[in-house]
Amino acid sequence: MSNAKNIAQSVHDFLLPVVTDLGYELWDVEYVKEGSEWYLRITIDSEDGITIDDCERVHRAIDPVIDEHDPIENAYHLEVSSPGIERVLRTDAHIEAFTGAEVEAKLFAPVDGKKTLRGILGGIEDGKVILRSGETEYRIERSKLSRLNTVFDF
């Protein structure tokens, strides 16, 4: 799986200036297999939000750049999207950006008998995600989190 992560990191590195020059933030790059298909997912953001036109604009701009670098040997689908309201927080930068926000943490193994914790994100320190739920402060190793995302109550 590290190969897919290396590809995603490589794509992130060469697309960052392209996406930034277009006026967007490169939120995330994922290279994942779903069923028998591979997907290269580029997630963009901006202070004004993201429209379908923004996604199409970025798609058109990055497609030739990806072809030029040719980082992926097999066939794949290129997707460009917005992070949405409930965002998955995958990097330290994501966690820092949403410190103070309500989040949900899904754990590989239970903590205090729970595999899902909900609370206020307190940031990241020494590789541990800080989560405050009521009077309890949890410090959870990143490797113990299966998923961390923001929560939006409609």
Side-chain angles (χ1 to χ4, degrees):
M1 191 62 195
S2 63
N3 192 26
K5 281 188 177 170
N6 292 345
I7 288 171
Q9 186 60 56
S10 171
V11 171
H12 177 278
D13 293 345
F14 68 71
L15 286 185
L16 184 61
V18 179
V19 173
T20 303
D21 286 350
L22 289 170
Y24 302 101
E25 177 189 347
L26 182 55
W27 176 259
D28 203 6
V29 175
E30 285 183 296
Y31 181 59
V32 294
K33 189 172 188 179
E34 293 180 358
S36 62
E37 306 283 324
W38 282 92
Y39 293 86
L40 179 60
R41 290 204 174 101
I42 312 299
T43 309
I44 58 171
D45 200 9
S46 81
E47 288 182 10
D48 301 325
I50 296 295
T51 67
I52 190 78
D53 292 338
D54 295 321
C55 293
E56 289 174 3
R57 181 173 177 230
V58 170
H59 194 292
R60 282 192 302 276
I62 67 174
D63 203 19
V65 177
I66 294 169
D67 287 346
E68 178 186 320
H69 284 82
D70 197 22
I72 302 169
E73 292 176 12
N74 51 311
Y76 64 92
H77 303 281
L78 175 61
E79 294 180 351
V80 178
S81 65
S82 76
I85 293 174
E86 293 193 346
R87 299 169 180 227
V88 176
L89 308 179
R90 294 188 340 117
T91 68
D92 289 359
H94 293 166
I95 292 168
E96 290 298 332
F98 282 88
T99 294
E102 186 174 358
V103 295
E104 184 176 86
K106 298 216 184 271
L107 310 168
F108 287 113
V111 172
D112 290 348
K114 301 178 206 155
K115 283 185 82 174
T116 301
L117 299 172
R118 197 166 171 168
I120 302 302
L121 184 58
I124 186 161
E125 202 173 275
D126 300 324
K128 293 181 179 168
V129 174
I130 302 163
L131 182 69
R132 293 184 189 91
S133 180
E135 298 299 309
T136 308
E137 180 178 280
Y138 296 96
R139 289 178 174 264
I140 307 158
E141 293 280 347
R142 287 281 302 270
S143 61
K144 305 222 185 292
L145 289 171
S146 68
R147 184 179 175 99
L148 179 67
N149 59 276
T150 59
V151 176
F152 184 81
D153 289 319
F154 294 93

